[in-house]
């Protein structure tokens, strides 16, 4: 009986350590572009350069140029992320600033991006 208990304990510990090794951590990158603060968060492993590319496209629009025929033939390889922007002094009366949250999918091959506005809120942060 003691051997069975030890065996079950060893298997349980091994499975816990295995599951923890597959857990993903959320990465966050914050940039300031043309007076707008933007934070890009993703659970996928992205570089700060790719996060900056995502941020620029969220703010300035999607101007992706297809690289080869990969995406045309096999489809886009999307990276999912969340973009939160804070634009200061948008309105003349309080609350003057705007905070927006987007759900963003960006192709890691050609840079094509789709974004969906999930929330937009006026906030008090500037007087």
């Amino acid at each position: 009986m003691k051997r069975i208990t030890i065996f079950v304990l060893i298997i349980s510990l091994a499975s816990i350590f295995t599951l923890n090794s597959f857990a993903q951590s959320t990465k966050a990158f914050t940039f300031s572009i043309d007076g707008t603060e933007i934070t890009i968060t993703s659970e996928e492993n992205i570089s700060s350069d790719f996060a900056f590319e995502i941020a620029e496209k969220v703010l300035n629009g999607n101007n992706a140029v297809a690289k080869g025929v990969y995406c045309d033939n096999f489809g886009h390889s999307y990276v999912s992320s969340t973009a939160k922007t804070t634009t200061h002094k948008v309105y003349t009366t309080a609350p003057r600033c705007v905070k927006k949250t987007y759900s963003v999918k960006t192709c890691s091959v050609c840079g094509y991006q789709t974004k969906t506005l999930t929330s937009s809120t006026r906030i008090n942060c500037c007087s």
Side-chain angles (χ1 to χ4, degrees):
M1 185 67 168
K2 189 175 183 181
R3 288 183 184 172
I4 293 174
T5 305
I6 292 173
F7 179 74
V8 170
L9 181 62
I10 290 172
I11 296 298
S12 299
L13 288 174
S15 63
I16 289 172
F17 290 125
T18 303
L19 291 175
N20 284 339
S21 67
F22 289 112
Q24 295 180 348
S25 62
T26 302
K27 284 189 170 185
F29 301 92
T30 302
F31 307 101
S32 181
I33 301 171
D34 297 330
T36 299
E37 296 171 18
I38 183 164
T39 301
I40 304 295
T41 56
S42 178
E43 290 184 0
E44 299 184 39
N45 189 18
I46 62 173
S47 67
S48 61
D49 292 337
F50 189 62
F52 185 75
E53 181 182 329
I54 293 170
E56 282 186 319
K57 288 181 181 173
V58 166
L59 294 178
N60 301 324
N62 188 10
N63 53 2
V65 177
K67 295 179 182 175
V69 294
Y70 180 84
C71 293
D72 291 336
N73 292 328
F74 301 108
H76 295 289
S77 178
Y78 284 116
V79 173
S80 298
S81 58
T82 302
K84 294 183 180 184
T85 64
T86 303
T87 309
H88 299 283
K89 299 180 182 177
V90 176
Y91 300 101
T92 56
T93 58
R96 296 184 66 189
C97 305
V98 177
K99 185 170 200 150
K100 294 182 180 181
T101 304
Y102 298 92
S103 175
V104 182
K105 291 186 345 182
T106 307
C107 179
S108 62
V109 177
C110 71
Y112 177 76
Q113 184 180 84
T114 61
K115 66 180 177 182
T116 305
L117 180 65
T118 56
S119 71
S120 179
T121 309
R122 289 176 68 170
I123 59 172
N124 283 318
C125 68
C126 298
S127 52

